[in-house]
């Protein structure tokens, strides 16, 4: 057979082989996702000794990677609002889950709710979101039976809190009053002796407060911000890191709410 003809016939075969491999990865593995979901459910229930409900799954395999992974969303049967994400390999081996992080973060958010309510008198679903970081050894020293407060009592100097809040204004002339509230919040965080903390507060103009629908009050922090970002008049940002000397001096320089004006940006400044 002529060499040119062999090459001509070989190229389509190689092409079809490559296409077949791609189709195998992106069609076959999603089709058997139920196996990964069962593996995830079994892993979670054995690890945490409680029942879980699988919500759904997706499979991904970035080009160039040898193996793909399933992302499986689930929740503890007794905690339907707590979404737990677990990763499972294409060989059906569970790798990691974020249940501990989600549980402790939910407890911190509930705890912070009373702080927010004390400052702003009430809070809706969209009002705030608090993220937390722990020392690496936390995940070996503590387990699902421990609460955030128990961990905080022992590890607060290694913990970081990241606070995001949405505040609707009653008047455009009340920012001095709003900074009084932020000053109280910073004092609260300082008293906890955290390793670090940061605060981001979005202030929405008074027109939004008058026009906001009840259904918007049921949105979470990020969904509300995404929907109403054009109504934001101010953004306050402040961060503190106990391991950074410049950051320490910055915090020491805050003696009153007036010292916080430098951390308040107007929307026109941000454009």
């Amino acid at each position: 057979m002529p060499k040119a003809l062999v090459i001509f016939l070989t190229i389509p075969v190689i092409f079809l082989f490559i296409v077949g491999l791609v189709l195998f990865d992106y069609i076959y593995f999603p089709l058997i996702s139920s196996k990964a979901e069962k593996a995830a459910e079994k892993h979670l229930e054995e690890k945490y000794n409680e029942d879980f409900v699988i919500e759904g799954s997706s499979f991904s395999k970035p080009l160039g990677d040898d193996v793909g992974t399933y992302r499986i969303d689930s929740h503890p049967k007794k905690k339907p609002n707590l979404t737990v994400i677990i990763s499972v390999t294409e060989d059906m081996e569970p790798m990691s889950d974020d249940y501990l992080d989600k549980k402790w973060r939910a407890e911190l958010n509930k705890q912070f709710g009373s702080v927010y309510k004390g400052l702003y008198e009430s809070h809706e679903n969209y009002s705030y979101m608090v993220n937390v970081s722990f020392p690496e050894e936390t995940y070996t020293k503590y387990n699902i039976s421990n609460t955030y407060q128990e961990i905080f009592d022992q590890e607060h100097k290694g913990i970081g809190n990241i606070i995001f809040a949405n505040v609707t204004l009653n008047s455009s002339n009340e920012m001095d009053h709003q900074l009084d509230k932020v000053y109280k919040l910073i004092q609260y965080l300082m008293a906890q002796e955290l390793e670090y903390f940061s605060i981001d507060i979005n202030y929405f103009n008074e027109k939004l407060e008058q026009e906001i629908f009840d259904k918007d009050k049921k949105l979470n922090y990020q969904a509300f911000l995404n929907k109403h970002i054009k109504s934001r008049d101010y953004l306050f940002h402040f961060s503190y890191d106990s391991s950074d000397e410049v950051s320490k001096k910055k915090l020491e320089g805050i003696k009153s709410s007036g010292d916080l004006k430098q951390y308040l940006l107007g929307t026109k400044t941000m454009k």
Side-chain angles (χ1 to χ4, degrees):
M1 184 180 294
K3 185 176 181 180
L5 180 59
V6 172
I7 295 174
F8 179 76
L9 293 174
T10 302
I11 291 176
V13 172
I14 294 174
F15 175 76
L16 290 173
F17 177 74
I18 293 173
V19 170
L21 288 177
V22 173
L23 290 176
F24 182 80
D25 284 339
Y26 291 95
I27 294 179
Y28 172 73
F29 284 112
L31 283 175
I32 62 168
S33 61
S34 60
K35 290 186 178 180
E37 292 174 2
K38 289 180 180 178
E41 183 178 9
K42 180 181 178 182
H43 173 79
L44 290 170
E45 292 183 346
E46 290 180 351
K47 182 177 181 180
Y48 297 113
N49 194 32
E50 60 181 301
D51 293 333
F52 279 77
V53 176
I54 301 299
E55 299 174 359
S57 62
S58 60
F59 178 80
S60 64
K61 184 176 183 180
L63 291 175
D65 284 10
D66 294 331
V67 295
T69 57
Y70 291 92
R71 169 193 157 132
I72 298 172
D73 293 347
S74 64
H75 66 260
K77 193 172 183 178
K78 295 181 179 179
K79 304 170 187 174
N81 295 323
L82 189 66
T83 299
V84 176
I85 299 172
I86 178 171
S87 298
V88 177
T89 69
E90 63 183 40
D91 295 326
M92 306 305 161
E93 291 294 329
M95 294 191 299
S96 62
D97 68 81
D98 62 358
Y99 187 19
L100 292 179
D101 279 312
K102 292 289 182 64
K103 174 185 180 291
W104 294 331
R105 186 188 304 171
E107 291 170 348
L108 170 59
N109 273 264
K110 184 177 180 180
Q111 180 185 96
F112 184 77
S114 61
V115 178
Y116 186 97
K117 189 172 183 179
L119 292 170
Y120 301 100
E121 298 181 0
S122 66
H123 65 83
E124 309 290 347
N125 287 352
Y126 71 82
S127 298
Y128 67 88
M129 175 178 71
V130 186
N131 288 334
V132 59
S133 67
F134 299 97
E136 288 187 14
E137 61 269 20
T138 301
Y139 301 96
T140 55
K141 291 174 64 176
Y142 304 93
N143 56 47
I144 201 67
S145 65
N146 297 113
T147 65
Y148 173 80
Q149 186 60 48
E150 290 173 343
I151 299 170
F152 172 82
D153 290 341
Q154 299 297 321
E155 314 288 346
H156 61 276
K157 290 188 176 180
I159 288 177
N161 282 184
I162 307 167
I163 297 170
F164 304 91
N166 291 325
V167 175
T168 54
L169 301 172
N170 294 311
S171 167
S172 59
N173 299 318
E174 64 171 306
M175 290 314 299
D176 287 344
H177 179 54
Q178 290 295 336
L179 290 178
D180 287 339
K181 296 177 186 290
V182 180
Y183 183 66
K184 291 177 182 178
L185 177 57
I186 289 177
Q187 289 180 309
Y188 164 78
L189 292 169
M190 287 173 57
Q192 293 194 61
E193 298 183 296
L194 298 165
E195 180 183 18
Y196 73 89
F197 63 81
S198 70
I199 304 170
D200 280 275
I201 303 178
N202 302 291
Y203 294 98
F204 300 90
N205 61 52
E206 65 271 21
K207 291 182 180 179
L208 181 61
E209 174 62 25
Q210 297 166 4
E211 299 171 358
I212 190 171
F213 295 106
D214 287 340
K215 63 180 181 180
D216 284 347
K217 295 181 179 181
K218 297 179 181 179
L219 296 173
N220 62 32
Y221 162 84
Q222 192 61 56
F224 185 90
L225 175 60
N226 291 342
K227 183 175 180 179
H228 297 294
I229 186 80
K230 291 182 179 180
S231 296
R232 182 175 66 179
D233 275 356
Y234 300 97
L235 169 65
F236 175 87
H237 172 75
F238 180 83
S239 61
Y240 163 74
D241 185 339
S242 64
S243 65
D244 182 77
E245 291 302 319
V246 174
S247 183
K248 284 183 178 181
K249 290 181 180 179
K250 184 173 68 173
L251 183 62
E252 290 169 359
I254 298 176
K255 304 297 184 181
S256 68
S257 60
D259 297 323
L260 296 175
K261 289 184 178 180
Q262 60 186 306
Y263 304 107
L264 184 68
L265 297 175
T267 52
K268 292 181 180 179
T269 307
M270 292 184 281
K271 292 179 180 179

